[in-house]
Amino acid sequence: MTAQQPLVTVIIASYNHGPYIEQCILSVVQQTYPHIELLVIDDGSSDDSVLRIERLREQYGFDFRVQKNQGLTHTLNDAVARSKGSLIAPFGSDDVMLPERIAKQVAYMQDKPEVGICAGNIELIDSQGGLYSEDRQRRDIAFRRLDFDDVFMERKSYPPAPTLLFRKQALEQVGGFDPEIRLEDLLIELKITHAGYYIDCLGEVLAQYRKHGANSSKNTPFMVDSILRSYALFKEHPQYEFVRTRFLSSMFLKCANRDRSYARQLLKQIPFRHWNKKTWRGLARLYFAPLERRS
């Protein structure tokens, strides 16, 4: 592979996404960029994912392995270790790449060794693949460059997970994904920017993120625990306590009229001196708003 056309390794860790996995894989093999190594790993699915993937493997010849469930971060680390590409794109098995995604990111990252991660914007689709037309704020975010403080302090819009393209060198430099923290996106972004790299986010849509009932973001306690543990690894930062309690207040507000028992647990972790407008709004929801029934 020439320096002008690096090999890109796309890693799809599949787990019980039978209804979506075929569209996901097809969106990778149909990329306009020709130099892609596709590694697909089924991480112990109990649905028909393996049969669906095997049919596509016979047609397109990508690398496919089946394993007992190990979890996403273990699976990603194993795949990165055997990848041949200098650029790595972990990709959710329920999401969809737009056709020129990889080509655009590779072209951008050429001659920018300071960029450890390139990302872009997303559009939201539902379980049937239909667009959420009202959700344009994720589509229209302008270009931004993020350093460590931008990510840690949430000073700029986060790079969406379905668009992340990593330099393998940067991943290896920071020791890869942390197997103890299964929600991997925030921590790897913090680690790579803390090592001195930038995250550059292109101001165009590169992928579609599928919203459905099994998204990991729907599991609020799991998400909160992972994010708090990620922040705690950088507790020496002078704004650590502010960042931690601001996040807790946001999640308290979100849960206050959805899961009141869990909301009270979150509130107990916020010292009164760090209460903000969201904390007070959450209190109003907790005690005065009707309980929201979630489907």
Side-chain angles (χ1 to χ4, degrees):
M1 214 59 56
T2 67
Q4 289 71 37
Q5 293 185 315
L7 180 66
V8 176
T9 298
V10 177
I11 301 169
I12 299 175
S14 172
Y15 180 67
N16 285 344
H17 279 161
Y20 316 125
I21 186 61
E22 291 162 302
Q23 187 180 10
C24 173
I25 290 174
L26 287 173
S27 77
V28 177
V29 299
Q30 293 171 358
Q31 287 289 295
T32 61
Y33 188 75
H35 306 297
I36 293 177
E37 173 192 42
L38 175 57
L39 307 181
V40 181
I41 307 95
D42 186 87
D43 191 33
S45 293
S46 57
D47 62 5
D48 64 348
S49 294
V50 171
L51 291 174
R52 291 171 181 262
I53 297 168
E54 185 59 38
R55 285 198 296 264
L56 289 174
R57 187 201 63 78
E58 291 174 359
Q59 182 176 358
Y60 293 101
F62 51 82
D63 185 293
F64 176 43
R65 300 187 182 186
V66 180
Q67 65 187 29
K68 294 182 179 179
N69 185 265
Q70 296 182 23
L72 179 57
T73 47
H74 282 285
T75 301
L76 289 178
N77 283 336
D78 289 346
V80 170
R82 61 186 175 89
S83 66
K84 298 175 183 176
S86 60
L87 299 170
I88 307 290
F91 196 60
S93 55
D94 50 350
D95 297 329
V96 179
M97 290 188 185
L98 297 192
E100 295 188 357
R101 176 216 157 158
I102 298 296
K104 289 179 178 179
Q105 290 180 293
V106 169
Y108 178 81
M109 292 183 79
Q110 295 286 77
D111 303 318
K112 295 183 182 69
E114 74 279 9
V115 178
I117 304 173
C118 179
N121 293 338
I122 56 172
E123 56 190 11
L124 302 184
I125 57 175
D126 59 26
S127 60
Q128 304 303 313
L131 289 175
Y132 284 84
S133 57
E134 75 281 1
D135 198 75
R136 293 198 59 82
Q137 69 270 25
R138 291 177 174 84
R139 294 178 52 91
D140 299 335
I141 305 172
F143 173 88
R144 63 259 186 222
R145 166 167 283 193
L146 290 80
D147 60 18
F148 175 79
D149 277 355
D150 291 327
V151 179
F152 191 71
M153 300 282 293
E154 202 175 346
R155 297 191 303 202
K156 299 176 184 177
S157 297
Y158 279 156
T163 68
L164 299 179
L165 181 64
F166 296 86
R167 288 197 188 281
K168 186 176 183 179
Q169 176 184 350
L171 274 174
E172 292 176 336
Q173 183 176 331
V174 302
F177 298 93
D178 189 334
E180 301 303 316
I181 299 180
R182 293 183 297 147
L183 192 68
E184 78 288 357
D185 303 335
L186 174 62
L187 180 54
I188 197 64
E189 291 159 12
L190 288 169
K191 288 168 64 174
I192 286 178
T193 52
H194 194 259
Y197 291 96
Y198 294 105
I199 302 175
D200 282 7
C201 301
L202 309 183
E204 55 186 304
V205 176
L206 299 179
Q208 296 176 323
Y209 174 75
R210 192 183 303 272
K211 293 185 68 174
H212 56 82
N215 291 134
S216 59
S217 59
K218 301 279 188 181
N219 186 341
T220 303
F222 162 72
M223 182 184 71
V224 169
D225 176 69
S226 295
I227 291 176
L228 288 177
R229 291 170 64 196
S230 297
Y231 285 145
L233 294 175
F234 303 92
K235 61 174 57 177
E236 76 282 356
H237 192 283
Q239 294 298 315
Y240 165 69
E241 192 62 23
F242 168 78
V243 168
R244 187 186 77 88
T245 54
R246 181 183 61 180
F247 170 70
L248 283 168
S249 288
S250 294
M251 298 311 299
F252 169 62
L253 174 61
K254 180 179 179 178
C255 297
N257 62 332
R258 297 182 180 182
D259 184 343
R260 286 176 170 159
S261 175
Y262 183 63
R264 291 186 178 94
Q265 294 178 39
L266 294 175
L267 182 61
K268 291 178 181 178
Q269 300 179 60
I270 309 171
F272 181 73
R273 66 182 181 277
H274 288 294
W275 284 20
N276 59 24
K277 290 181 180 178
K278 288 187 176 181
T279 322
W280 290 105
R281 286 171 57 198
L283 280 170
R285 285 187 185 180
L286 183 64
Y287 291 107
F288 302 109
L291 187 63
E292 180 179 313
R293 298 297 178 185
R294 305 187 69 181
S295 57

